[in-house]
Amino acid sequence: MPSLTETTTIPSPADQVWPLLRDPALVASCIPGATLSPDQGDGMWRGSIRVKFGPTVAVFRGEASLAFDDVARTCTIEGRGIDGRGASRALASGLVKVSGNDTTELAIDGSFTVSGPLETFANAGGVHVARALLAEFSANMAKKLAEQAPTVPPPPVSPVDAAPLAQPAATAPPSPPTTPTPTPAAEISGFRILWRAFLSWLRGK
């Protein structure tokens, strides 16, 4: 059973990173090619990931249960997946932990098993592919945090310079604010991930 113990750094305070990691929709938007299915609500999060190898596109479907501990800032994950043709299946479990102050350290400790035609590849290079995906995820999460950074408010208007305001006409109450849907990351390129996985393998030698 291959195992993965990996740590990556996100250049943002942990107090900002942890709330985003508790949002599965936003997390999925940081994983290239990943989408969440609309049928959520029974304790399981379902989705898929598309991986493109040149003109060929492979789709993997999966579901996972998530258990959050806000005090320890950890998330326990139990998941399973199947490829689009139903030939290969995967089981995975792990613990994600957030620590740090001004800079976030994201640690992952888990294991996975794959059966079917992809078993040999997963056992030989699955850890390096997972590391490459984690690097992509961390970079996209950093971008999301930068986009959500508050802008500097304009300077206050002096009471001397402020003109008297007329009473506004009666208008309909404003619509409640809506939460924007996270923009998904670009579709994942299998060749790019394999290249990053190859670099990860070289560093591990």
Side-chain angles (χ1 to χ4, degrees), residues 157-186:
V157 179
S158 170
V160 177
D161 298 331
L165 299 178
Q167 291 295 326
T171 57
S175 301
T178 58
T179 302
T181 302
T183 303

mmCIF file of all heavy atoms in Angstrom, residues 157-186:
data_model
loop_
_atom_site.group_PDB
_atom_site.id
_atom_site.type_symbol
_atom_site.label_atom_id
_atom_site.label_comp_id
_atom_site.label_asym_id
_atom_site.label_seq_id
_atom_site.Cartn_x
_atom_site.Cartn_y
_atom_site.Cartn_z
ATOM 1 N N VAL A 157 -13.859 61.342 4.004
ATOM 2 C CA VAL A 157 -14.155 62.696 3.536
ATOM 3 C C VAL A 157 -14.267 63.626 4.736
ATOM 4 O O VAL A 157 -14.941 63.320 5.728
ATOM 5 C CB VAL A 157 -15.458 62.722 2.723
ATOM 6 C CG1 VAL A 157 -15.773 64.135 2.254
ATOM 7 C CG2 VAL A 157 -15.331 61.784 1.528
ATOM 8 N N SER A 158 -13.588 64.759 4.664
ATOM 9 C CA SER A 158 -13.631 65.738 5.749
ATOM 10 C C SER A 158 -15.035 66.312 5.865
ATOM 11 O O SER A 158 -15.702 66.567 4.860
ATOM 12 C CB SER A 158 -12.638 66.865 5.486
ATOM 13 O OG SER A 158 -12.831 67.927 6.410
ATOM 14 N N PRO A 159 -15.544 66.527 7.115
ATOM 15 C CA PRO A 159 -16.895 67.124 7.266
ATOM 16 C C PRO A 159 -17.011 68.487 6.605
ATOM 17 O O PRO A 159 -18.088 68.878 6.168
ATOM 18 C CB PRO A 159 -17.046 67.229 8.794
ATOM 19 C CG PRO A 159 -16.092 66.221 9.352
ATOM 20 C CD PRO A 159 -14.938 66.174 8.390
ATOM 21 N N VAL A 160 -15.881 69.228 6.516
ATOM 22 C CA VAL A 160 -15.919 70.546 5.883
ATOM 23 C C VAL A 160 -16.178 70.428 4.398
ATOM 24 O O VAL A 160 -16.890 71.232 3.789
ATOM 25 C CB VAL A 160 -14.602 71.299 6.151
ATOM 26 C CG1 VAL A 160 -14.592 72.650 5.432
ATOM 27 C CG2 VAL A 160 -14.403 71.476 7.647
ATOM 28 N N ASP A 161 -15.563 69.383 3.793
ATOM 29 C CA ASP A 161 -15.683 69.220 2.345
ATOM 30 C C ASP A 161 -16.959 68.495 1.944
ATOM 31 O O ASP A 161 -17.342 68.500 0.779
ATOM 32 C CB ASP A 161 -14.480 68.454 1.798
ATOM 33 C CG ASP A 161 -13.179 69.217 2.053
ATOM 34 O OD1 ASP A 161 -13.235 70.451 2.116
ATOM 35 O OD2 ASP A 161 -12.129 68.561 2.191
ATOM 36 N N ALA A 162 -17.571 67.836 2.895
ATOM 37 C CA ALA A 162 -18.749 67.038 2.544
ATOM 38 C C ALA A 162 -19.932 67.947 2.283
ATOM 39 O O ALA A 162 -20.266 68.825 3.077
ATOM 40 C CB ALA A 162 -19.080 66.068 3.686
ATOM 41 N N ALA A 163 -20.593 67.745 1.160
ATOM 42 C CA ALA A 163 -21.769 68.541 0.811
ATOM 43 C C ALA A 163 -22.990 67.958 1.501
ATOM 44 O O ALA A 163 -23.066 66.752 1.724
ATOM 45 C CB ALA A 163 -21.962 68.549 -0.698
ATOM 46 N N PRO A 164 -23.982 68.806 1.821
ATOM 47 C CA PRO A 164 -25.217 68.277 2.433
ATOM 48 C C PRO A 164 -25.861 67.267 1.495
ATOM 49 O O PRO A 164 -25.916 67.469 0.282
ATOM 50 C CB PRO A 164 -26.086 69.529 2.607
ATOM 51 C CG PRO A 164 -25.127 70.680 2.575
ATOM 52 C CD PRO A 164 -24.012 70.268 1.666
ATOM 53 N N LEU A 165 -26.334 66.195 2.064
ATOM 54 C CA LEU A 165 -26.954 65.141 1.281
ATOM 55 C C LEU A 165 -28.469 65.288 1.311
ATOM 56 O O LEU A 165 -29.067 65.501 2.376
ATOM 57 C CB LEU A 165 -26.557 63.758 1.826
ATOM 58 C CG LEU A 165 -25.051 63.448 1.795
ATOM 59 C CD1 LEU A 165 -24.797 62.079 2.414
ATOM 60 C CD2 LEU A 165 -24.528 63.503 0.367
ATOM 61 N N ALA A 166 -29.098 65.213 0.139
ATOM 62 C CA ALA A 166 -30.550 65.251 0.070
ATOM 63 C C ALA A 166 -31.102 63.907 0.501
ATOM 64 O O ALA A 166 -30.449 62.876 0.379
ATOM 65 C CB ALA A 166 -30.987 65.578 -1.362
ATOM 66 N N GLN A 167 -32.316 63.910 1.013
ATOM 67 C CA GLN A 167 -32.939 62.675 1.419
ATOM 68 C C GLN A 167 -33.208 61.817 0.188
ATOM 69 O O GLN A 167 -33.825 62.284 -0.776
ATOM 70 C CB GLN A 167 -34.268 62.967 2.146
ATOM 71 C CG GLN A 167 -34.089 63.623 3.498
ATOM 72 C CD GLN A 167 -33.383 62.708 4.485
ATOM 73 O OE1 GLN A 167 -33.577 61.484 4.423
ATOM 74 N NE2 GLN A 167 -32.583 63.280 5.358
ATOM 75 N N PRO A 168 -32.739 60.582 0.159
ATOM 76 C CA PRO A 168 -32.959 59.747 -1.029
ATOM 77 C C PRO A 168 -34.416 59.366 -1.172
ATOM 78 O O PRO A 168 -35.156 59.269 -0.194
ATOM 79 C CB PRO A 168 -32.087 58.523 -0.739
ATOM 80 C CG PRO A 168 -32.015 58.449 0.760
ATOM 81 C CD PRO A 168 -32.032 59.887 1.231
ATOM 82 N N ALA A 169 -34.824 59.198 -2.409
ATOM 83 C CA ALA A 169 -36.190 58.754 -2.676
ATOM 84 C C ALA A 169 -36.341 57.311 -2.244
ATOM 85 O O ALA A 169 -35.395 56.545 -2.206
ATOM 86 C CB ALA A 169 -36.498 58.900 -4.173
ATOM 87 N N ALA A 170 -37.570 56.945 -1.919
ATOM 88 C CA ALA A 170 -37.830 55.582 -1.483
ATOM 89 C C ALA A 170 -37.556 54.622 -2.630
ATOM 90 O O ALA A 170 -38.029 54.811 -3.748
ATOM 91 C CB ALA A 170 -39.293 55.448 -1.022
ATOM 92 N N THR A 171 -36.776 53.621 -2.336
ATOM 93 C CA THR A 171 -36.441 52.615 -3.340
ATOM 94 C C THR A 171 -36.652 51.237 -2.750
ATOM 95 O O THR A 171 -36.792 51.069 -1.535
ATOM 96 C CB THR A 171 -34.978 52.754 -3.804
ATOM 97 O OG1 THR A 171 -34.112 52.645 -2.668
ATOM 98 C CG2 THR A 171 -34.736 54.102 -4.478
ATOM 99 N N ALA A 172 -36.647 50.251 -3.618
ATOM 100 C CA ALA A 172 -36.792 48.871 -3.168
ATOM 101 C C ALA A 172 -35.559 48.473 -2.377
ATOM 102 O O ALA A 172 -34.463 48.950 -2.654
ATOM 103 C CB ALA A 172 -36.986 47.950 -4.374
ATOM 104 N N PRO A 173 -35.700 47.621 -1.370
ATOM 105 C CA PRO A 173 -34.543 47.193 -0.582
ATOM 106 C C PRO A 173 -33.535 46.475 -1.478
ATOM 107 O O PRO A 173 -33.909 45.796 -2.441
ATOM 108 C CB PRO A 173 -35.151 46.239 0.461
ATOM 109 C CG PRO A 173 -36.454 45.795 -0.137
ATOM 110 C CD PRO A 173 -36.936 46.951 -0.949
ATOM 111 N N PRO A 174 -32.241 46.644 -1.182
ATOM 112 C CA PRO A 174 -31.229 45.997 -2.021
ATOM 113 C C PRO A 174 -31.297 44.485 -1.911
ATOM 114 O O PRO A 174 -31.721 43.933 -0.900
ATOM 115 C CB PRO A 174 -29.904 46.534 -1.440
ATOM 116 C CG PRO A 174 -30.236 46.892 -0.023
ATOM 117 C CD PRO A 174 -31.668 47.377 -0.057
ATOM 118 N N SER A 175 -30.903 43.825 -2.978
ATOM 119 C CA SER A 175 -30.879 42.371 -2.983
ATOM 120 C C SER A 175 -29.779 41.879 -2.054
ATOM 121 O O SER A 175 -28.731 42.504 -1.943
ATOM 122 C CB SER A 175 -30.630 41.840 -4.404
ATOM 123 O OG SER A 175 -31.647 42.299 -5.272
ATOM 124 N N PRO A 176 -29.979 40.753 -1.360
ATOM 125 C CA PRO A 176 -28.932 40.233 -0.477
ATOM 126 C C PRO A 176 -27.715 39.835 -1.290
ATOM 127 O O PRO A 176 -27.819 39.403 -2.437
ATOM 128 C CB PRO A 176 -29.601 39.007 0.174
ATOM 129 C CG PRO A 176 -30.684 38.616 -0.782
ATOM 130 C CD PRO A 176 -31.169 39.895 -1.392
ATOM 131 N N PRO A 177 -26.521 39.993 -0.701
ATOM 132 C CA PRO A 177 -25.304 39.634 -1.435
ATOM 133 C C PRO A 177 -25.255 38.140 -1.705
ATOM 134 O O PRO A 177 -25.752 37.329 -0.931
ATOM 135 C CB PRO A 177 -24.176 40.056 -0.469
ATOM 136 C CG PRO A 177 -24.827 40.051 0.891
ATOM 137 C CD PRO A 177 -26.239 40.469 0.658
ATOM 138 N N THR A 178 -24.711 37.791 -2.817
ATOM 139 C CA THR A 178 -24.573 36.388 -3.191
ATOM 140 C C THR A 178 -23.122 35.979 -3.119
ATOM 141 O O THR A 178 -22.227 36.776 -3.368
ATOM 142 C CB THR A 178 -25.097 36.144 -4.624
ATOM 143 O OG1 THR A 178 -24.366 37.001 -5.525
ATOM 144 C CG2 THR A 178 -26.569 36.466 -4.722
ATOM 145 N N THR A 179 -22.903 34.731 -2.742
ATOM 146 C CA THR A 179 -21.542 34.204 -2.671
ATOM 147 C C THR A 179 -21.116 33.753 -4.059
ATOM 148 O O THR A 179 -21.769 32.902 -4.670
ATOM 149 C CB THR A 179 -21.476 33.011 -1.706
ATOM 150 O OG1 THR A 179 -21.931 33.436 -0.424
ATOM 151 C CG2 THR A 179 -20.048 32.484 -1.609
ATOM 152 N N PRO A 180 -20.042 34.325 -4.610
ATOM 153 C CA PRO A 180 -19.641 33.954 -5.955
ATOM 154 C C PRO A 180 -19.171 32.506 -6.022
ATOM 155 O O PRO A 180 -18.572 31.990 -5.085
ATOM 156 C CB PRO A 180 -18.472 34.914 -6.250
ATOM 157 C CG PRO A 180 -17.958 35.310 -4.901
ATOM 158 C CD PRO A 180 -19.145 35.307 -4.002
ATOM 159 N N THR A 181 -19.503 31.849 -7.125
ATOM 160 C CA THR A 181 -19.038 30.484 -7.323
ATOM 161 C C THR A 181 -17.557 30.493 -7.659
ATOM 162 O O THR A 181 -17.126 31.237 -8.535
ATOM 163 C CB THR A 181 -19.812 29.827 -8.487
ATOM 164 O OG1 THR A 181 -21.207 29.861 -8.183
ATOM 165 C CG2 THR A 181 -19.363 28.388 -8.687
ATOM 166 N N PRO A 182 -16.745 29.682 -6.944
ATOM 167 C CA PRO A 182 -15.312 29.685 -7.231
ATOM 168 C C PRO A 182 -15.023 29.317 -8.679
ATOM 169 O O PRO A 182 -15.649 28.422 -9.248
ATOM 170 C CB PRO A 182 -14.759 28.606 -6.274
ATOM 171 C CG PRO A 182 -15.786 28.489 -5.198
ATOM 172 C CD PRO A 182 -17.103 28.764 -5.859
ATOM 173 N N THR A 183 -14.108 30.036 -9.287
ATOM 174 C CA THR A 183 -13.714 29.748 -10.655
ATOM 175 C C THR A 183 -12.832 28.506 -10.674
ATOM 176 O O THR A 183 -11.825 28.457 -9.968
ATOM 177 C CB THR A 183 -12.942 30.932 -11.258
ATOM 178 O OG1 THR A 183 -13.758 32.097 -11.177
ATOM 179 C CG2 THR A 183 -12.565 30.653 -12.700
ATOM 180 N N PRO A 184 -13.204 27.477 -11.447
ATOM 181 C CA PRO A 184 -12.397 26.252 -11.437
ATOM 182 C C PRO A 184 -11.030 26.468 -12.053
ATOM 183 O O PRO A 184 -10.841 27.334 -12.911
ATOM 184 C CB PRO A 184 -13.234 25.267 -12.265
ATOM 185 C CG PRO A 184 -14.071 26.144 -13.151
ATOM 186 C CD PRO A 184 -14.358 27.381 -12.349
ATOM 187 N N ALA A 185 -10.056 25.671 -11.604
ATOM 188 C CA ALA A 185 -8.719 25.730 -12.172
ATOM 189 C C ALA A 185 -8.752 25.163 -13.581
ATOM 190 O O ALA A 185 -9.666 24.442 -13.981
ATOM 191 C CB ALA A 185 -7.737 24.939 -11.307
ATOM 192 N N ALA A 186 -7.747 25.506 -14.355
ATOM 193 C CA ALA A 186 -7.681 25.025 -15.730
ATOM 194 C C ALA A 186 -7.578 23.506 -15.764
ATOM 195 O O ALA A 186 -7.098 22.878 -14.825
ATOM 196 C CB ALA A 186 -6.479 25.646 -16.441
#
